[in-house]
Amino acid sequence: MRTDLITPEGFDNLKKELNYLWQEYRPEITEKVAWAASLGDRSENADYKENKRLLRQIDSRIRFLNKRIETLTIVLPNKQQAGKVFFGAWVDIENEQGEQKRFKIVGPDEIYQRGVIEQRKDYISIDSPMARALLKKEVDDEALVNTPNGLTTWYINTINYDFV
């Protein structure tokens, strides 16, 4: 599967995280490092060591986000997709026991976003077994999902998209 796909909302969230790290968080930590360094002996200065470690992590995440944002492909929902499950769809499903789930099929970058963005519990990756089983299906279709406990049958109740 392609791991470079992202929804417009996910792309905006990555840009917000990058902006937050660069414009707000990094300057705050840099200021703390400068203050701790001004206290003298850095070899036994826990504030200095901890904030330098934090600054390295921030810089690493900034580098990652800058590179990642350049390689992502934003997938806009298309009205021609209506009625079938594709990337970016909100899907309501139900199994034979009556258990219901609702989620949006997104790229891996949207599942594990960090920083100012909280992890979404109602998102699943396009690479997940559930998403792969649902792709191209329609309402009332059944999808067989391979789980650690064996095959599970899910029925599609609704499919929606966030059309812009």
Side-chain angles (χ1 to χ4, degrees):
M1 287 290 209
R2 291 183 58 186
T3 60
D4 64 339
L5 303 178
I6 195 163
T7 65
E9 175 190 20
F11 188 79
D12 289 344
N13 287 337
L14 285 182
K15 300 269 301 191
K16 285 177 189 173
E17 180 185 354
L18 177 61
N19 188 52
Y20 168 76
L21 290 173
W22 188 247
Q23 300 293 326
E24 296 177 40
Y25 196 45
R26 188 178 193 287
E28 174 187 325
I29 300 304
T30 302
E31 194 174 296
K32 288 180 181 179
V33 168
W35 171 81
S38 72
L39 298 177
D41 185 11
R42 296 176 189 167
S43 64
E44 295 184 23
N45 187 330
D47 278 336
Y48 177 79
K49 288 180 178 180
E50 177 61 20
N51 286 304
K52 280 295 279 188
R53 183 191 64 76
L54 200 52
L55 195 56
R56 285 190 300 275
Q57 287 179 340
I58 293 167
D59 288 344
S60 175
R61 182 68 178 166
I62 288 171
R63 281 191 303 276
F64 171 80
L65 288 172
N66 275 322
K67 288 179 184 176
R68 186 68 178 150
I69 285 171
E70 290 176 7
T71 64
L72 291 171
T73 302
I74 301 170
V75 178
L76 298 170
N78 186 326
K79 292 197 187 291
Q80 293 173 338
Q81 294 173 305
K84 286 197 175 188
V85 178
F86 290 104
F87 185 86
W90 281 100
V91 184
D92 290 297
I93 58 174
E94 185 174 354
N95 66 14
E96 293 167 336
Q97 290 75 35
E99 180 184 0
Q100 296 182 0
K101 294 183 182 284
R102 176 179 172 78
F103 47 77
K104 184 176 185 178
I105 299 174
V106 298
D109 292 283
E110 296 176 77
I111 301 293
Y112 303 110
Q113 288 184 342
R114 33 186 237 196
V116 295
I117 313 302
E118 289 187 19
Q119 183 175 344
R120 299 284 306 251
K121 301 288 186 206
D122 56 348
Y123 282 8
I124 65 168
S125 173
I126 186 82
D127 301 324
S128 70
M130 176 69 81
R132 287 194 303 252
L134 292 171
L135 286 177
K136 299 182 183 176
K137 301 275 193 232
E138 299 178 15
V139 172
D140 294 331
D141 281 354
E142 63 180 54
L144 293 174
V145 181
N146 195 5
T147 69
N149 297 331
L151 284 177
T152 305
T153 303
W154 291 89
Y155 301 95
I156 301 172
N157 293 333
T158 63
I159 303 166
N160 297 300
Y161 289 91
D162 297 328
F163 292 113
V164 181

